Amino acid sequence: MSAGPDDGRLVPRQAAVIALDARGVATAWSDAARELLGYRPEDVLGKRLAGFLSGPLPAEYRRCWAEAVPWTGSVAVHHHDGHTLRVRLEAHPLLNAIGETDWFLTVTGVERSATGPAATGEPDLSRVKLWALEQLPLPMALFDREGLCCAVNAATTRVMGMPERDLLGIQIGHTGPGQPMKGLERIGEAAEQVWRRGEPTQVEAYLRTPGETHPHAWLLSLYPVKDREGQVCALSQAAADTTEQFRARQRLSVLNEAGLRIGTTLDVTRTAQELAEVATEHFADFVTVDLIESLVVTEFETPPAGDRSSLRRTAQHSVIPGCPEAVVALRQVHSYHEQSPPGRALATGSASRHQVDDTTLGSWAVGCPDRARSIRTHGIHSLLVAPLCARGVTLGVAVFCRHRTAEDFDEEDLRLAEELAARAAVYIDNARRYTRERDIALALQAGLLPERVVHQAAVEVACRYLPADPEVGIGGDWYDVIPLSGARVALVVGDVVGRGIQASATMGRLCTAVRTLADVDLAPDELLTQLDDLVLRMDRGDPADGTSHTPVDGQGEVGATCLYAVYDPVSRRCTMARAGHPAPVLVTPDGTTDFLSLPAGPPLGLGGLPFETAEFDMPEGSVLALYTNGVIDGANRDVDEGRAVLRTSLADSKRPLEDTCDSALKALLPGVRTDDAALLLARTRALGGDQVADWELPSEPAVVARTRELVNGALANWHLEDLAFATELIVSELVTNAIRYGHPPVQLRLIRDSTLICEVSDTSSTAPHLRRARTFDEGGRGLFIVAQLAQRWGSRHTRAGKTIWAEVSLASEGF
């Protein structure tokens, strides 16, 4: 330490630097800060800095913090040995990659007197360099009033691929004298805005820096460095690599557009062409789509295994007009050799990525040398092959090529191609089935309804579906049993308005949507709200160009009813909501049979009206009956009579469910069936104390060690000691996250089912997510560990907060 000339301050030999996140939690602690205040990094990191102050911050400093503007002033802090120091701080805000404000504090001096004023003077850019450039792994640079680089950190030299001496004096947004960087055309205007307004700004850019082999997405944060008089004296630039987020947004955008543009008609050729056009517009230069000939030209039937030799070129599209890359004409029948990439994709049903080399050329040339010639002629250097698979049938293959785009396809491109091909395959499959409406509808329903219900710890299930008589037409009734996290189960039954392929297709979309929404653990009323929005969009029939579509002969009029119930075998409670659907029947173990008083809710497709949930206690052994209108509404009786017959048929709760299903339908539907009928019976089970262990934990870090002891005790009682290692790690990470980022109370629950389920709950609604921890990050690896050790993991929102769960396989040899 040394004394300042006139101000009575002790100036540190090296600036003490502290970095805080938006919540005031310390994320960086320099050696100079440890020397000055006596705290080691592990004493401070992860804790709020306010806890080390001897009093609250003055109101002026709190205002600057709230408004994210730099401030300078004196604060009193506790030294590690117990005495109080008054230090002079410079605080500078910096926007991070997700738009939050981080803070960087520099201790510029220690006052001899607690009330001595701080010295004034010109800003010391060398101190600014220390905190702003050397304490972060982000590429950072400092620019003077002329916009010339005066300092960079090591991350910048690595990204730019040039030593510091070559970067100093370079204009902002340039790689050298008079060499502007392509993709940073707006950086100069943004910098001028910072100088003029004295406010931070951000610029997004997608470019390849000299030190990188591929383009990256960057979020450039420009913020002013101000002196004590509030004048901008320098400009700091921080660059955050947001390539992963950029690619994810780009992929979601393409998939969203594909959902609007692929499958607009029930025409095989048009659907295949839509796939080719969407792909060439976004990530490929040339696309071909080949469909298996037997599937395209024959009636609806599954071809014999191995019948994959003859393909019909159904669609192709290129960035070059006329598709000169193609060696097969549209509608021409041809074949791929079984050892070629498309041949292997057809045989295995797996997508693949290829760089063009002698081996690739040889495999493509087998049986057709013209293909290798076209690859050489047009400079095709990277290829993707994705089979078109839908409902267990391989319909064809799509090939994606690059020759105008310099970068090779990567794994993200492969996943995107797979998803596009999967979507297109579904629409192609729907289109080819359209020629046999009744057979298509029956097959579609048979494929979507569970062929057999997987064993559930929560319920025993029996179900039946009976289509209407042929002269009436096939409707859109469906049911489903969906396993949920925490050993819970969702029971679904629905009924689409209408007949024929339109009703069956709507049923398929709703059934798929319910499974998707159930997978994210939406509450019953929220799930029905999402379904209502989907039916509204389907009813409008809005095409990809956004124009409205007027239904013809009622074909576009869509409506449906649905009942969605979630049963928890631990609490033995069932939460359910319905959208215009008949009320379920509950048969208790003592034989009491009642229609549950459940708010009806509006049918799906009306829009703007709420859905309500209700909870019911379900004693173990109760039978819950879900059904569609076709069960109780017959040709020769009214609904009230049908309800009475159904109630009588279900009265014996001890009877095997399969027998109950058969006898109920026999009594209810003895003759002509004027409507589809679906019946789902579920007998509830319960998970008792010998299968469930739960604890409420104090929200303090020390409880983690105690938690491991509790887990080991429970595993020992269940004779699952072999799972201790994985379970300890998973529970430790989940509990630590809940304590650090959630809100009390924190609850831990273990459930022994077909897997070992670990659940940690708190009252925070913030959901966790996996992220890539960088080299110097203090955290960010916990969920990655959980994902590696768990068979499955996820989160669900509850009325009180959220629950994070993970399932561990009971096969101990897996660890």
Side-chain angles (χ1 to χ4, degrees):
M1 307 287 287
S2 61
D6 300 309
D7 57 6
R9 292 183 294 127
L10 292 176
V11 180
R13 291 189 297 269
Q14 182 181 0
V17 178
I18 305 166
L20 307 177
D21 67 11
R23 297 179 292 112
V25 174
T27 59
W29 187 260
S30 71
D31 289 338
R34 178 177 56 82
E35 178 182 355
L36 178 63
L37 299 177
Y39 297 101
R40 299 171 299 173
E42 54 265 35
D43 299 329
V44 181
L45 296 180
K47 300 178 182 178
R48 294 179 61 87
L49 195 63
F52 297 87
L53 302 179
S54 63
L57 284 173
E60 179 63 17
Y61 301 168
R62 294 198 300 272
R63 181 188 63 79
C64 293
W65 184 284
E67 296 177 358
V69 297
W71 58 271
T72 302
S74 298
V75 296
V77 298
H78 295 297
H79 194 277
H80 185 266
D81 61 13
H83 73 273
T84 300
L85 289 177
R86 180 165 287 278
V87 298
R88 186 76 175 174
L89 290 180
E90 289 183 1
H92 298 270
L94 175 64
L95 291 178
N96 60 26
I98 61 175
E100 295 180 341
T101 303
D102 293 343
W103 288 86
F104 298 91
L105 310 180
T106 305
V107 179
T108 61
V110 181
E111 297 181 1
R112 294 180 184 274
S113 169
T115 60
T120 61
E122 293 299 320
D124 185 355
L125 290 183
S126 63
R127 279 203 307 274
V128 178
K129 296 175 189 177
L130 285 172
W131 67 261
L133 304 179
E134 298 303 331
Q135 297 297 318
L136 284 177
L138 298 176
M140 296 190 66
L142 195 67
F143 298 88
D144 61 18
R145 294 283 308 181
E146 303 300 324
L148 302 178
C149 181
C150 58
V152 296
N153 66 349
T156 300
T157 62
R158 182 177 64 254
V159 168
M160 295 299 294
M162 292 184 284
E164 182 179 5
R165 63 178 180 272
D166 292 343
L167 293 172
L168 298 180
I170 298 300
Q171 188 78 23
I172 187 171
H174 287 59
T175 59
Q179 300 174 5
M181 188 180 299
K182 185 177 180 181
L184 281 181
E185 293 79 6
R186 297 190 298 116
I187 191 71
E189 179 182 344
E192 182 61 31
Q193 177 180 329
V194 175
W195 286 113
R196 185 173 61 254
R197 301 181 181 178
E199 298 175 353
T201 189
Q202 291 182 328
V203 176
E204 289 185 335
Y206 187 76
L207 51 87
R208 186 181 71 82
T209 61
E212 301 288 345
T213 58
H214 296 288
H216 287 242
W218 297 96
L219 179 64
L220 303 178
S221 298
L222 307 179
Y223 65 93
V225 180
K226 298 181 180 180
D227 57 23
R228 293 184 179 88
E229 285 72 36
Q231 299 299 315
V232 179
C233 60
L235 173 68
S236 182
Q237 171 188 290
D241 188 344
T242 59
T243 304
E244 292 186 10
Q245 298 93 319
F246 176 82
R247 294 293 299 273
R249 292 196 304 268
Q250 189 179 48
R251 180 182 175 190
L252 287 175
S253 176
V254 174
L255 291 176
N256 181 62
E257 182 175 343
L260 297 173
R261 293 180 54 186
I262 299 177
T264 59
T265 64
L266 287 173
D267 180 84
V268 171
T269 301
R270 182 59 200 158
T271 302
Q273 187 64 31
E274 289 166 345
L275 167 62
E277 291 174 357
V278 169
T280 51
E281 288 180 18
H282 290 285
F283 72 104
D285 296 328
F286 175 57
V287 178
T288 65
V289 180
D290 299 299
L291 298 181
I292 295 173
E293 175 72 358
S294 59
L295 294 179
V296 176
V297 300
T298 62
E299 295 183 355
F300 173 71
E301 59 181 11
T302 301
D307 183 13
R308 299 291 184 268
S309 57
S310 295
L311 300 167
R312 182 186 292 272
R313 176 61 52 86
T314 309
Q316 56 191 23
H317 198 260
S318 172
V319 295
I320 305 175
C323 296
E325 309 96 325
V327 297
V328 176
L330 282 174
R331 294 177 294 279
Q332 180 180 342
V333 176
H334 68 106
S335 64
Y336 288 108
H337 192 275
E338 61 182 10
Q339 294 304 316
S340 67
R344 290 195 296 270
L346 289 169
T348 64
S350 300
S352 58
R353 178 169 61 98
H354 305 273
Q355 305 305 115
V356 174
D357 52 25
D358 292 340
T359 301
T360 304
L361 284 173
S363 63
W364 279 87
V366 175
C368 185
D370 287 343
R371 290 195 175 103
R373 174 192 53 77
S374 179
I375 290 174
R376 290 193 187 95
T377 301
H378 295 92
I380 296 174
H381 57 84
S382 188
L383 303 114
L384 299 176
V385 181
L388 301 174
C389 300
R391 301 178 182 93
V393 177
T394 300
L395 307 175
V397 63
V399 179
F400 307 82
C401 309
R402 275 186 179 174
H403 51 69
R404 292 296 183 267
T405 303
E407 292 77 25
D408 293 334
F409 287 120
D410 57 20
E411 289 299 322
E412 286 293 325
D413 295 319
L414 179 60
R415 284 193 286 271
L416 178 58
E418 286 182 291
E419 293 196 41
L420 290 177
R423 292 189 179 209
V426 172
Y427 291 117
I428 290 172
D429 195 38
N430 287 342
R432 72 184 180 88
R433 297 177 180 210
Y434 183 68
T435 55
R436 293 292 182 269
E437 183 171 323
R438 177 171 173 77
D439 290 342
I440 293 173
L442 288 173
L444 180 60
Q445 289 190 328
L448 290 170
L449 296 178
E451 294 182 4
R452 60 181 182 85
V453 178
V454 179
H455 172 76
Q456 298 284 332
V459 291
E460 173 194 355
V461 173
C463 42
R464 295 290 186 274
Y465 167 75
L466 295 178
D469 287 343
E471 60 273 14
V472 178
I474 301 301
D477 293 15
W478 93 91
Y479 60 84
D480 209 346
V481 180
I482 307 171
L484 302 177
S485 62
R488 299 169 303 134
V489 64
L491 305 172
V492 192
V493 65
D495 185 356
V496 174
V497 175
R499 293 283 186 273
I501 185 63
Q502 198 74 16
S504 295
T506 301
M507 180 216 73
R509 293 179 67 177
L510 293 181
C511 185
T512 302
V514 169
R515 276 196 163 269
T516 303
L517 295 171
D519 193 50
V520 297
D521 264 316
L522 291 181
D525 56 339
E526 296 176 359
L527 184 142
L528 291 181
T529 300
Q530 295 293 330
L531 278 186
D532 189 39
D533 291 341
L534 173 61
V535 172
L536 281 173
R537 291 194 298 272
M538 293 164 59
D539 190 37
R540 286 194 298 265
D542 294 337
D545 60 5
T547 59
S548 63
H549 169 76
T550 302
V552 178
D553 298 330
Q555 292 301 309
E557 298 174 0
V558 180
T561 65
C562 183
L563 190 151
Y564 183 79
V566 176
Y567 174 68
D568 187 343
V570 178
S571 66
R572 305 176 191 180
R573 292 184 66 80
C574 186
T575 305
M576 61 182 73
R578 60 177 175 144
H581 203 81
V585 180
L586 178 63
V587 185
T588 57
D590 61 4
T592 302
T593 306
D594 286 310
F595 287 89
L596 294 178
S597 179
L598 177 64
L604 298 175
L606 293 185
L609 298 175
F611 300 97
E612 299 181 46
T613 60
E615 289 192 4
F616 302 92
D617 290 319
M618 297 280 179
E620 184 176 7
S622 299
V623 175
L624 183 66
L626 281 66
Y627 55 92
T628 59
N629 271 329
V631 172
I632 57 175
D633 190 4
N636 300 316
R637 65 166 183 269
D638 60 24
V639 173
D640 290 336
E641 292 176 351
R643 286 163 57 93
V645 174
L646 176 62
R647 184 171 181 171
T648 302
S649 302
L650 300 176
D652 186 359
S653 64
K654 305 298 182 183
R655 190 177 186 181
L657 291 185
E658 296 291 339
D659 293 346
T660 302
C661 269
D662 292 336
S663 63
L665 291 179
K666 183 177 180 180
L668 289 160
L669 304 172
V672 175
R673 293 191 297 273
T674 58
D675 195 3
D676 292 29
L679 176 63
L680 175 62
L681 302 182
R683 177 175 286 126
T684 62
R685 299 181 175 128
L687 297 179
D690 59 336
Q691 291 181 271
V692 181
D694 56 3
W695 305 272
E696 184 168 322
L697 307 176
S699 185
E700 54 187 35
V703 78
V704 177
R706 173 59 179 159
T707 301
R708 289 193 287 267
E709 296 176 5
L710 297 174
V711 169
N712 282 330
L715 294 180
N717 291 337
W718 292 336
H719 305 292
L720 298 176
E721 293 87 347
D722 290 345
L723 306 183
F725 173 73
T727 308
E728 277 187 22
L729 282 177
I730 290 173
V731 171
S732 296
E733 295 297 339
L734 296 184
V735 171
T736 300
N737 276 357
I739 293 173
R740 179 174 296 178
Y741 304 113
H743 301 302
V746 176
Q747 294 180 317
L748 168 64
R749 182 167 75 170
L750 299 182
I751 302 174
R752 178 173 60 86
D753 188 21
S754 56
T755 61
L756 178 64
I757 304 170
C758 310
E759 295 185 339
V760 175
S761 304
D762 66 80
T763 57
S764 169
S765 61
T766 303
H769 63 279
L770 280 173
R771 68 178 180 88
R772 184 183 297 278
R774 301 183 184 278
T775 305
F776 297 102
D777 284 358
E778 296 293 334
R781 300 172 178 84
L783 289 181
F784 180 78
I785 294 174
V786 172
Q788 298 302 306
L789 295 176
Q791 179 175 296
R792 294 193 311 143
W793 77 278
S795 65
R796 65 177 182 269
H797 289 283
T798 64
R799 300 291 184 188
K802 69 173 183 298
T803 297
I804 315 301
W805 55 269
E807 295 183 3
V808 181
S809 172
L810 297 185
S812 59
E813 63 272 16
F815 297 95

